[in-house]
Amino acid sequence: MHRPEKQPALRSDAQRNRERILEVALVELTRSADTPLSAIARKAGVGQGTFYRNFPSREALVLEVYRYEVHQVAEAAAQLLCTRPPEVALREWMDRLAQYAMAKAGLADALREATSARGAFKSLSHGPLTEAVTLLLTANTEAGTIRPGVTPDDFMLAIAGLWLVDPHSDWQSRARRLLDLVMDGLRAGAPGPPGPPAKE
């Protein structure tokens, strides 16, 4: 096994550049769908060569911004379950999902301009988000904090209203109210935590 010692550091630096570009692109493309790529590179503090090595086209950048956002949201599920009770982790993750939904709505124009792939949203988000939802629902079912039998599809249908909220309105309060209603529905019929074995 011949691995140059400096290679991990180089990979780490390249990864930081890539993530910085994506973070800037999310903000700038949400603000204006036709933001020049040169402006995104400048604000990210990288040269044109570095930028185009990572993202050779506008389409590549826009699709990767969505993929990046989806994975950030999906990974948060496991992180929250490590530090919070299942019920709290689920509700906080729903807030993260709402923030993602608003970013997704704000970037819709950029995606439409960059690509005609109609299935882009589903192909980029369905897998990772479904895995995150499954993880959270399983933890809550085992803890007895939600009604039994709720599937990831049930959950995604229940919160589908998030994608109808106007991102230019007071979306935080509207999303919070919707998610509180969904959470109340999930709690209805919850058996509670498993009790001790019955004595004979």
Side-chain angles (χ1 to χ4, degrees):
M1 299 193 44
H2 303 286
R3 294 180 181 174
E5 289 183 10
K6 292 186 178 180
Q7 193 65 14
L10 290 173
R11 278 202 301 268
S12 175
D13 189 52
Q15 183 64 22
R16 278 195 298 272
N17 283 339
R18 184 178 179 83
E19 290 182 0
R20 193 157 57 243
I21 292 168
L22 289 170
E23 287 165 5
V24 171
L26 174 64
V27 173
E28 295 303 316
L29 292 173
T30 299
R31 187 176 296 148
S32 174
D34 57 0
T35 299
L37 298 184
S38 57
I40 293 172
R42 188 170 59 253
K43 290 193 177 183
V46 300
Q48 296 288 318
T50 298
F51 183 92
Y52 284 105
R53 270 197 303 276
N54 282 280
F55 306 106
S57 68
R58 178 175 288 273
E59 177 181 356
L61 174 65
V62 173
L63 289 176
E64 191 59 29
V65 167
Y66 277 106
R67 190 176 288 113
Y68 178 75
E69 282 295 287
V70 168
H71 280 281
Q72 294 294 308
V73 174
E75 288 174 4
Q79 295 165 4
L80 287 167
L81 281 171
C82 286
T83 57
R84 292 159 175 75
E87 188 177 14
V88 176
L90 175 59
R91 185 62 188 82
E92 288 193 18
W93 187 80
M94 289 161 72
D95 285 335
R96 302 270 184 104
L97 189 63
Q99 293 171 357
Y100 161 70
M102 293 307 102
K104 181 174 177 178
L107 279 168
D109 288 340
L111 186 64
R112 275 193 295 272
E113 288 184 13
T115 176
S116 59
R118 294 181 181 178
F121 289 154
K122 289 184 179 179
S123 66
L124 290 176
S125 64
H126 186 71
L129 289 186
T130 298
E131 290 172 14
V133 170
T134 300
L135 189 67
L136 289 160
L137 293 180
T138 299
N140 277 274
T141 299
E142 290 174 354
T145 49
I146 63 172
R147 62 193 303 155
V150 179
T151 69
D153 280 346
D154 293 336
F155 179 85
M156 296 306 277
L157 283 171
I159 63 163
L162 277 177
W163 278 264
L164 299 176
V165 176
D166 181 357
H168 303 295
S169 67
D170 179 21
W171 67 263
Q172 287 96 338
S173 61
R174 296 191 68 188
R176 192 178 308 115
R177 176 174 169 77
L178 172 66
L179 296 178
D180 284 344
L181 289 170
V182 171
M183 198 71 199
D184 287 345
L186 291 171
R187 289 190 188 105
K199 294 181 181 179
E200 296 186 4

